[in-house]
Amino acid sequence: MKLSAFFAVALITLMVSCEKSNTSVPTTQCTVKGRWIDPLGTALYEYTDSLRYTIYQTAPGQFGTIADAIPNPEKWWLQGDTLVLKTGSNSFKAHVAFDCNCKIMRLTASYNGTTWTNNLRKEGVDTTICP
């Protein structure tokens, strides 16, 4: 009987932890640095310490390296939970939140009264597990 109770508690713990894996994670526990794929799956953004490179796919689902990026990467930095991207003489700002154990980066911005959200996913993430 004690063994059955142990397995029931273990199963409930596993189910609860799986549910929490798809919830938002504080920005301080995740990092923007890395390779992130756009929602259409056609561009990859590689964030280094201070630059964002744009790399287009070389074949369906495959992306090159920084050497294959388009010229003139943009400077970026975080101000709290806001990502600032310097594009030429303009700056773009978006609120950053992470989901799915830091595998989805949600950027939310407003422009001229319209708010939009762009979900980037880490390279190699299965979209059926982390939509």
Side-chain angles (χ1 to χ4, degrees), residues 25-30 98:
V25 178
T27 304
T28 56
Q29 294 180 7
C30 301
F98 293 92

Side-chain angles (χ1 to χ4, degrees), residues 14-120:
L14 180 62
M15 289 172 28
V16 169
S17 66
C18 288
E19 288 175 18
K20 289 182 180 179
S21 69
N22 288 328
T23 60
S24 292
V25 178
T27 304
T28 56
Q29 294 180 7
C30 301
T31 181
V32 171
K33 287 193 288 186
R35 291 168 58 98
W36 298 91
I37 299 174
D38 76 335
L40 299 176
T42 57
L44 178 141
Y45 302 107
E46 184 161 345
Y47 289 84
T48 64
D49 285 333
S50 61
L51 295 174
R52 183 188 84 164
Y53 294 86
T54 301
I55 305 166
Y56 291 104
Q57 63 182 351
T58 55
Q62 296 180 358
F63 299 90
T65 64
I66 287 177
D68 304 309
I70 64 171
N72 304 319
E74 293 95 8
K75 291 181 181 181
W76 76 274
W77 61 92
L78 283 176
Q79 290 179 340
D81 60 358
T82 299
L83 179 121
V84 181
L85 187 65
K86 182 81 169 159
T87 57
S89 61
N90 298 317
S91 291
F92 166 81
K93 294 182 179 186
H95 176 267
V96 178
F98 293 92
D99 289 319
C100 202
N101 292 325
C102 301
K103 294 177 181 131
I104 302 293
M105 180 168 54
R106 187 176 318 278
L107 301 174
T108 305
S110 294
Y111 182 73
N112 286 341
T114 302
T115 300
W116 58 266
T117 299
N118 195 4
N119 296 329
L120 304 176

Side-chain angles (χ1 to χ4, degrees), residues 37 100 102-104 121-131:
I37 299 174
C100 202
C102 301
K103 294 177 181 131
I104 302 293
R121 62 181 164 87
K122 280 269 191 189
E123 184 177 34
V125 170
D126 181 354
T127 57
T128 61
I129 296 171
C130 292

Side-chain angles (χ1 to χ4, degrees), residues 2-17:
K2 289 182 183 181
L3 192 56
S4 296
F6 170 79
F7 284 119
V9 169
L11 181 60
I12 290 169
T13 303
L14 180 62
M15 289 172 28
V16 169
S17 66

